[in-house]
Amino acid sequence: MSSESTEVWAGWYRDRAGAEAVAITATDGRVSTHVRGTAYAGATFATLRAGGTGAALTGCVLEWDMPLPVRADGVEREATLSCLLTLGEAAADGGAPVRSELSLTLHDGGTAYEAAVADGDFDEALARIRRQLPSTAEPVLPEPVRT
């Protein structure tokens, strides 16, 4: 996959005002989404900020699934990574969320491997899942989409 590659996943945004379907996009090492007419982008899922105002995305939940093949013993098989990002309320200064948590669940065959990290770091959560997999298995991430 080239550096201009783009991955798009369908998902849901939920907050106190309700829920809506969203698309989450990863390209060139950045992620983005549109919520109620506002574009949000950031270097990581937990640092999404509005393009015009710079306001952080807070007080909500984003949920999406993405295909994530697993290679085991030289054979690649289909698997799904379910992602749940919880962004707490904004800090007193209106900045980034006071807390964020990213939970990942890899559904591979009949087994689910789970990991959660408090700072929304996708790579760290995925590394925790990798440590749970059998020694001959490895998730196959598209390059360079790592967020």
Side-chain angles (χ1 to χ4, degrees):
M1 192 175 279
S2 74
S3 63
E4 289 98 35
S5 294
T6 299
E7 296 286 326
V8 179
W9 307 290
W12 287 95
Y13 168 87
R14 292 180 178 82
D15 65 9
R16 289 186 183 113
E20 72 174 64
V22 295
I24 298 162
T25 304
T27 188
D28 294 331
R30 295 186 56 80
V31 292
S32 61
T33 191
H34 283 76
V35 176
R36 298 191 179 114
T38 301
Y40 291 88
T44 69
F45 290 106
T47 60
L48 293 168
R49 292 190 168 277
T53 65
L57 186 60
T58 60
C60 65
V61 172
L62 285 170
E63 190 172 7
W64 68 100
D65 289 339
M66 57 188 280
L68 183 63
V70 171
R71 184 176 297 120
D73 299 318
V75 177
E76 195 170 298
R77 60 184 181 248
E78 292 182 23
T80 301
L81 187 67
S82 296
C83 309
L84 176 66
L85 176 66
T86 304
L87 298 172
E89 298 303 322
D93 63 2
V98 172
R99 68 174 180 80
S100 65
E101 181 177 297
L102 177 65
S103 299
L104 301 180
T105 304
L106 178 64
H107 303 277
D108 180 23
T111 306
Y113 302 94
E114 299 178 339
V117 292
D119 60 0
D121 186 318
F122 185 86
D123 288 335
E124 175 58 28
L126 192 57
R128 291 180 185 189
I129 287 177
R130 279 187 175 120
R131 290 191 291 271
Q132 297 172 45
L133 293 170
S135 62
T136 59
E138 179 71 16
V140 181
L141 276 178
E143 292 293 336
V145 178
R146 289 202 179 132
T147 328

